Each structure stands twice: as C-alpha cells, then as structure tokens.
C-alpha cells in the first residue's frame, strides 16, 4: 500500500502536476475504507439565512447498489478516479530525484501529507466528483480495494462548486441541481451554461424574496423537510420561462439587456416579474399555490404559456408606472373567463384541464390559445 497512517495524518505517495500556478493537481491512491474517513460529501442545502451551501446531488441508492455489486464481483476494474478538493493544510514533500523529466518542470513525485481533523470537525478533503462511487466503495466487501484519487487544493466552496459544475457539465446531472448551482459560480462558464446563469439568478430571487409572488413556492434541490411541502413549481419551469423572455427579441424582458455592454438591468426585470406574476396570482386565486396535479397554472406548461402571454401584456404596459399592477390585472381579467386551470375543458384546444403536459406541442397550443383569446378580448373593447 502507498498510504501510511500516522498520528494525526495520512501520508500517501503522490504525483504532483502543475497545470496552473497555485493550483497543483495530486494523483494518488486510497483504500476503499479510507475514502470517507478522509473526505466529506458536501450535499446541496441552504443555511438558516437561505444561502446555498454545498454542491453535491442527493444520494442515489439504486446506483450505489449497482456499483457495490460490481465491486463485489470476481474481477472488478475501477479506473475512474474520485476527484477531491483538499484543505490548504496539506503538505507535499518532493522525493529526491522524483522528477524524471527535469526539463518539463510540470510534474514530480513525492509524499503528500494530509493532516486529519479532530472528531466533530470538517475532514481535510471534500468529494467534488464521485459521490456515488465513494459511498459504494465504503459498502464493498473488499475494504482494501485500491482507488485512484485526483485532488486539487481549494478551501473555498466557491472553487469546489465551480469545478463540480464544470466536471459534470457533460453528465446527466439533474437540471434543477445545475439551475441552483449556476448563480453561485463566479468564473466564466461555457456558453451553454452561461446563457442559463441570469435566469437561474432571477429564479433564486423569485424563490427567496418575501415580496415575490413565488416566495416559497419553487422546488429547489436544496429545499427539504417542511419547506419542501409548500413548493409546487419546478425551478426549471421558471428558468425556462425567464430565459425565453430574456433571449427572444419579442420577449418582455429582452429590452432589459444591454448586449453591447454585456449588462442586464436585474432590478427592472425583478420589478416586471413581481408585478406580472402578482397580478396572475390575484386573477387566479383558486389556482395559485396548488400542486400541478390540482392546478395546471402551477404546472411547467402553465408557467411557460403564461410567460409567453407576459411578453404580450408587458409589451403594452410599462412596469415602471405606478398604475402598472392594476393595469396588468385588467388585462388578465379579459382572459380569466376562458381559463380552465383546475377543472373543465380548454375550448378550441380540446384537452381536459389535467391533460395538459409540459411538452412542446401542449405548451405551443396553450400559449397560442391564451394569446389569441387575449387579443380578441382586447379588440372587442376598442
């Protein structure tokens, strides 16, 4: 074994690779029974103030069981490393002559000494990628199974979270988890993720701001316990609604972006969203705040369809005016008699209220119906 347990520390033989100044990578090995003694798993949650902490997806029992079965088979091969963030308290001591290629100047071998924490205190490492594998290894029969580890030094959760999002960018992470993590990532993101960052930030405000009509109603990966029981709207539905309005030239939120300067008027967007969706809540009180199986207004299809109607209504109403809330309510009242959020059949569409699903065809049909009925009702008043 390459690990050596000493009083208050674990010492491992390691390869140090310099990819970026001040952020060396360490490649080493741990036994299966050492991994969870050595590293914590940081799961997504929120503190009492509502601030996001952690970054890992919840434990998946079926997946873990499948890995354990494989590890307990006759000839398991486990090449995928577990990626960890290490405390800056670690110390690397280069082995004399350990750098086989002195001219490259980027790698050398030596001993990595990792101080162990006292009982009850955080461990010296955090698992950034490989949560399920680590838990499976801890349950496998072979306690000394050698496991490859790749680690970097990062004391801050922000840096760990940044690496977690990037590492899992091509994996099927739950969209809700990515949605919730994106606002917490400070460094530049790939275009596919960057375009979702602003809508994710706005979704976070809609969920957490006590003045928001969506306060406490949005399902978040980090929300659990009693708080989760009142959450009825998926955050991905909210993000999709906002993103479509922000990125489409015909969207009500599009004018709040200064593309030339790369700036966005978040205060203006929040005011517009608060005014419109508060008016929706007041126009449809019997459908608001119910789970989607009891109200399609709270369903992903309803949120997206009403978002497209928002683009039409706020295209004619200035949210900055003092009478904007009342004006938006009057616009929505034109539509109210024709909506079937909790019972009945949607006229022209031909679907019962609970047959509407969050698929492109239904979202398109519902959106077109709401906009058409709204426009006809407006013309009849002229």
């Amino acid at each position: 074994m390459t690990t050596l347990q000493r009083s208050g520390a674990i010492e491992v033989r390691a390869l140090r690779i310099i990819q970026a100044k001040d952020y060396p990578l360490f490649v080493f090995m741990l036994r299966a029974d050492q991994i969870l003694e050595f590293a914590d798993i940081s799961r997504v949650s929120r503190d009492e103030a509502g601030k996001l902490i952690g970054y890992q997806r919840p434990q998946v029992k079926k997946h873990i069981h499948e890995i354990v079965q494989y590890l307990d088979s006759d000839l398991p091969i486990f090449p995928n490393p577990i990626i960890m963030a290490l405390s800056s308290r670690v110390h690397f001591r280069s082995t004399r002559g350990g750098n086989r290629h002195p001219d490259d100047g980027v790698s050398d071998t030596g001993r990595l000494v990792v101080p162990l924490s006292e009982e009850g205190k955080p461990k010296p490492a955090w698992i950034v990628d490989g949560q399920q594998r680590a838990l499976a290894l801890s349950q496998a029969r072979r306690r000394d199974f050698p496991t490859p580890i790749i680690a970097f030094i990062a004391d801050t959760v922000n840096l760990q979270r940044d690496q977690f999002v990037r590492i899992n960018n091509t994996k099927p992470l739950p969209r809700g988890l990515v949605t919730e993590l994106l606002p917490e990532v400070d460094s530049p993101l790939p275009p596919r993720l960057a375009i979702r960052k602003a809508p994710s930030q706005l979704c976070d405000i809609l969920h957490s701001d006590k003045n928001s009509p969506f306060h406490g109603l949005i399902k978040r990966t980090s929300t659990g316990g009693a708080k989760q029981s009142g959450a009825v709207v998926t955050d991905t539905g909210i993000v999709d609604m906002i993103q479509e309005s922000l990125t489409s030239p015909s969207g009500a939120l599009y004018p709040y972006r200064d593309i030339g300067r790369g700036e966005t008027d978040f205060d203006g967007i929040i005011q517009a969203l608060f005014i419109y969706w508060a008016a929706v809540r007041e126009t449809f009180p019997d459908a608001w705040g119910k789970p989607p199986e009891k109200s399609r207004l709270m369903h992903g299809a309803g949120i997206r369809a009403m978002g497209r109607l928002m683009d039409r209504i706020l295209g004619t109403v200035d949210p900055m005016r003092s009478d904007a809330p009342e004006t938006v309510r009057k616009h929505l009242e034109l539509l109210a008699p024709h909506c079937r959020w909790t019972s009945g059949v949607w006229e022209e569409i031909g679907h019962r209220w609970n047959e509407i699903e969050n698929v492109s065809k239904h979202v398109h049909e519902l959106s077109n119906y709401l906009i058409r009925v709204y426009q006809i009702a407006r013309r009849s008043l002229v």
Side-chain angles (χ1 to χ4, degrees):
M1 280 295 170
T2 61
T3 59
L4 179 62
Q5 183 87 37
R6 292 187 172 181
S7 177
I10 288 180
E11 183 175 322
V12 296
R13 197 163 60 191
L15 171 68
R16 177 174 61 177
I17 302 172
I18 307 298
Q19 289 183 328
K21 186 180 179 181
D22 300 326
Y23 292 104
L25 292 181
F26 299 100
V27 182
F28 55 95
M29 187 207 73
L30 290 176
R31 298 193 313 265
D33 61 355
Q34 290 178 313
I35 294 172
L36 293 186
E37 293 180 6
F38 184 80
D40 277 322
I41 294 174
S42 179
R43 293 190 178 86
V44 173
S45 60
R46 290 186 181 264
D47 60 20
E48 293 182 358
K51 182 176 176 57
L52 186 68
I53 55 177
Y55 46 86
Q56 282 281 11
R57 72 188 90 181
Q59 179 175 334
V60 182
K61 292 183 179 180
K62 182 179 179 181
H63 185 205
I64 293 171
H65 180 66
E66 290 172 350
I67 300 174
V68 172
Q69 285 184 316
Y70 174 70
L71 289 170
D72 289 342
S73 64
D74 293 335
L75 294 171
I77 299 176
F78 204 74
N80 294 338
I82 292 174
I83 300 178
M84 297 182 179
L86 297 175
S87 164
S88 58
R89 294 185 293 123
V90 303
H91 173 69
F92 181 80
R93 184 173 64 253
S94 181
T95 302
R96 185 176 181 181
N99 190 339
R100 296 183 178 183
H101 303 285
D103 292 336
D104 68 19
V106 297
S107 65
D108 59 342
T109 58
R111 310 290 296 189
L112 183 67
V113 180
V114 183
L116 297 177
S117 299
E118 297 177 9
E119 187 175 351
K121 293 186 178 181
K123 297 173 184 177
W126 303 267
I127 296 175
V128 175
D129 183 59
Q131 170 190 353
Q132 320 299 347
R133 280 170 276 148
L135 289 167
L137 284 159
S138 71
Q139 298 172 23
R141 285 198 300 264
R142 185 177 170 185
R143 311 303 298 151
D144 64 346
F145 191 90
T147 306
I149 308 293
I150 295 180
F152 58 93
I153 294 176
D155 280 321
T156 67
V157 174
N158 284 342
L159 180 56
Q160 298 164 28
R161 188 182 291 128
D162 174 84
Q163 291 299 311
F164 176 75
V165 171
R166 293 176 186 280
I167 289 167
N168 289 282
N169 185 24
T170 58
K171 297 182 181 181
L173 276 176
R175 284 188 66 205
L177 177 56
V178 174
T179 294
E180 195 165 359
L181 289 174
L182 283 177
E184 309 295 329
V185 177
D186 297 325
S187 58
L189 289 164
R192 185 174 66 84
L193 294 178
I195 200 171
R196 292 183 64 83
K197 184 170 181 178
S200 297
Q201 290 172 316
L202 292 163
C203 176
D204 195 46
I205 295 171
L206 287 174
H207 174 70
S208 59
D209 193 311
K210 292 183 178 180
N211 296 317
S212 166
F214 285 105
H215 178 243
L217 293 180
I218 301 176
K219 293 181 181 178
R220 314 307 307 274
T221 301
S222 65
T223 307
K227 293 182 179 179
Q228 184 73 13
S229 62
V232 295
V233 183
T234 63
D235 53 3
T236 52
I238 297 292
V239 167
D240 287 343
M241 175 270 294
I242 296 173
Q243 182 173 335
E244 187 172 352
S245 186
L246 266 177
T247 56
S248 171
S250 61
L253 305 181
Y254 186 83
Y256 294 92
R257 299 172 58 202
D258 187 331
I259 298 177
R261 295 183 179 181
E263 298 176 350
T264 301
D265 178 9
F266 282 96
D267 290 339
I269 291 174
I270 288 298
Q271 182 171 349
L273 289 170
F274 278 22
I275 287 174
Y276 175 78
W277 287 101
V280 172
R281 177 184 61 189
E282 293 168 16
T283 305
F284 304 103
D286 293 337
W288 189 263
K290 294 182 177 180
E293 60 270 19
K294 294 184 178 180
S295 169
R296 280 313 196 244
L297 178 60
M298 300 285 95
H299 191 272
I303 293 293
R304 292 180 64 188
M306 289 299 289
R308 293 177 182 179
L309 181 66
M310 173 186 73
D311 293 337
R312 299 301 179 99
I313 292 178
L314 294 188
T316 62
V317 178
D318 181 3
M320 300 301 292
R321 290 175 57 95
S322 59
D323 61 348
E326 181 181 355
T327 304
V328 173
R329 283 196 299 273
K330 288 181 178 179
H331 280 264
L332 288 171
E333 286 170 1
L334 299 174
L335 186 74
H338 305 277
C339 291
R340 304 291 181 264
W341 297 121
T342 60
S343 63
V345 178
W346 289 93
E347 298 173 11
E348 297 183 26
I349 300 178
H351 295 305
R352 286 185 52 79
W353 72 275
N354 56 356
E355 292 175 345
I356 298 293
E357 298 296 341
N358 193 20
V359 294
S360 297
K361 183 176 185 295
H362 286 189
V363 172
H364 185 70
E365 289 176 346
L366 183 58
S367 302
N368 286 349
Y369 174 75
L370 293 175
I371 292 171
R372 185 168 60 253
V373 169
Y374 165 69
Q375 290 176 331
I376 292 173
R378 281 197 69 196
R379 285 199 295 268
S380 67
L381 296 178
V382 178

